[in-house]
Amino acid sequence: MQGADAHSEQVIALGEDRVSLLIDTGQPVDADGLRKALLGPRIERWGDMEFGDGEPLHDLDLWIATTADGFGLVKATKEAVDSGLTSRSALYGGKAIVSGSSFAYRASVRPINESRTKFEFGAYAHGPEAERLAEEYIGHIRIWNRDHRGGPGHASRCSPQPPPTPNSPPEGASTRTTPGSSSPGPDGRTVGPETP
């Protein structure tokens, strides 16, 4: 991200450089506590929501990134995954929620039928707030499933900084809307589902 709200990224090495946690630099965390948390007990929660094989779910990642406080990514080597230290989802940057010395991230999907055509998402969590973060993560998935799954998805618009007006944001014009919402655009007009 660039502009007034831009943050640089910090990388916290967990698990002997086999696992990393990527978060915004300004986010307060306990790096030593996170390292200990990864090696401690893992809490597992599943959402009881069915997804079909090949169903597009890319909006779920954007939903988690834009609604969860303390968003980050858990990245792991194949060795860490094969040893059971992390879920396979961490190979590709598992979407995470981080708080203090605890974190939760989306588990790889698990099949829920014998033909392996239906799956569900879950969350793994580590640290003293693992229970809360796992429930929070599943809560985000449930809201997305109920309110946004299969919908038009998020809409983002960026444009050059307009001349200042009393209602314009201080650093330019960037808007993000979720289905069913609207917001003022760079020229003060409403942008969202009702405008093309």
Side-chain angles (χ1 to χ4, degrees), residues 62-108:
L62 184 58
W63 176 254
I64 298 290
T66 58
T67 60
D69 289 330
F71 177 75
L73 295 174
V74 175
K75 295 187 84 178
T77 64
K78 186 174 183 319
E79 178 187 359
V81 172
D82 290 346
S83 72
L85 189 58
T86 66
S87 168
R88 183 174 171 78
S89 67
L91 278 173
Y92 312 105
K95 308 327 175 251
I97 301 173
V98 184
S99 177
S101 59
S102 301
F103 67 99
Y105 67 102
R106 191 169 68 216
S108 295

Side-chain angles (χ1 to χ4, degrees), residues 7-26:
H7 294 281
S8 58
E9 185 176 76
Q10 67 176 316
V11 179
I12 300 170
L14 310 175
E16 301 167 356
D17 294 330
R18 297 182 300 158
V19 182
S20 299
L21 185 60
L22 288 70
I23 58 173
D24 280 344
T25 300

